[in-house]
Amino acid sequence: FCPICVREDMSVLGFSYWRRSHCTDLKVCAKHNVVLNKSCPLCAKRFSFGGHDLDVMWKTCNGYHFSQIKAVQNTDPTELKKSQMYEQIQSFSHHISEEAALAALLKNVNLHDTLKHEAKRGSERSLGEYIEWRLGIILAFRSENRLPPEESTEFIFQVLVRAFPDFSSFVSELRHDAA
């Protein structure tokens, strides 16, 4: 959770709530650029089964409410960029197909030699080769009117963060390719 979000919620709504983006692997609040608390700063319990129940957001821990927790400023611009892109993706009104996303990423990655030739973690292929390979699989399956094998979208997100300055640039590239 973000202590500043909790304080703002309490001021405006009279209660706070768990935000979906704060319950992911993201480390920073996209709105306030502060480090997210992934465990209770008062007792060190995780916010999960076997740790704190989720109702701790409305109750207290050791007599303190989460609105009283001090916020820690983030100093990593890449983590802020990840969080902001994630928020923009979540609020985007359209579905982006894996095929369209990979095609735009491939085009952009091919413009940057360092990205293009960088090795994909867990693969012998470079990023450019991996994107091209995955795009080929999708096109082959679609030509047979079949769904391609599942692949984590985490890879697409990680490359998106590195290949584009922001989500709107990525969307502009998609719109340009569709025209």
Side-chain angles (χ1 to χ4, degrees):
F1 72 93
C2 166
I4 300 174
C5 285
V6 172
R7 282 193 282 283
E8 286 178 356
D9 291 346
M10 295 299 290
S11 173
V12 173
L13 303 170
F15 63 91
S16 191
Y17 59 93
W18 293 99
R19 286 159 172 76
R20 186 177 0 173
S21 62
H22 293 183
C23 299
T24 65
D25 290 336
L26 297 174
K27 298 174 183 165
V28 175
C29 174
K31 182 177 180 184
H32 300 108
N33 193 26
V34 298
V35 176
L36 295 173
N37 289 287
K38 298 296 185 171
S39 58
C40 180
L42 302 167
C43 70
K45 286 185 184 176
R46 300 275 308 157
F47 302 119
S48 62
F49 181 74
H52 260 307
D53 289 331
L54 294 180
D55 65 354
V56 72
M57 181 65 78
W58 305 282
K59 296 181 179 181
T60 62
C61 179
N62 295 330
Y64 291 93
H65 189 270
F66 285 170
S67 63
Q68 297 171 283
I69 303 299
K70 184 178 184 298
V72 176
Q73 191 68 38
N74 169 53
T75 57
D76 186 341
T78 303
E79 290 300 328
L80 176 61
K81 182 179 176 182
K82 283 182 192 176
S83 294
Q84 289 172 334
M85 280 190 154
Y86 187 86
E87 290 279 332
Q88 292 166 342
I89 290 168
Q90 280 191 324
S91 63
F92 193 59
S93 60
H94 295 73
H95 169 77
I96 300 171
S97 71
E98 185 179 8
E99 180 181 340
L102 287 171
L105 288 174
L106 181 61
K107 184 177 177 182
N108 200 285
V109 164
N110 282 336
L111 296 174
H112 301 91
D113 277 343
T114 54
L115 273 179
K116 180 181 178 180
H117 298 294
E118 182 179 312
K120 181 204 178 283
R121 267 187 263 158
S123 172
E124 294 179 11
R125 295 181 169 97
S126 69
L127 285 179
E129 291 169 340
Y130 186 84
I131 294 169
E132 212 168 292
W133 170 78
R134 181 64 186 165
L135 189 54
I137 289 174
I138 291 169
L139 294 173
F141 272 75
R142 296 255 163 80
S143 71
E144 298 170 3
N145 204 23
R146 297 181 342 176
L147 289 174
E150 279 291 316
E151 178 80 10
S152 169
T153 55
E154 180 64 22
F155 167 73
I156 292 174
F157 180 68
Q158 294 301 327
V159 177
L160 172 65
V161 168
R162 300 197 46 235
F164 286 90
D166 51 43
F167 185 66
S168 61
S169 300
F170 175 67
V171 171
S172 292
E173 183 68 34
L174 291 172
R175 289 187 173 134
H176 179 266
D177 290 349

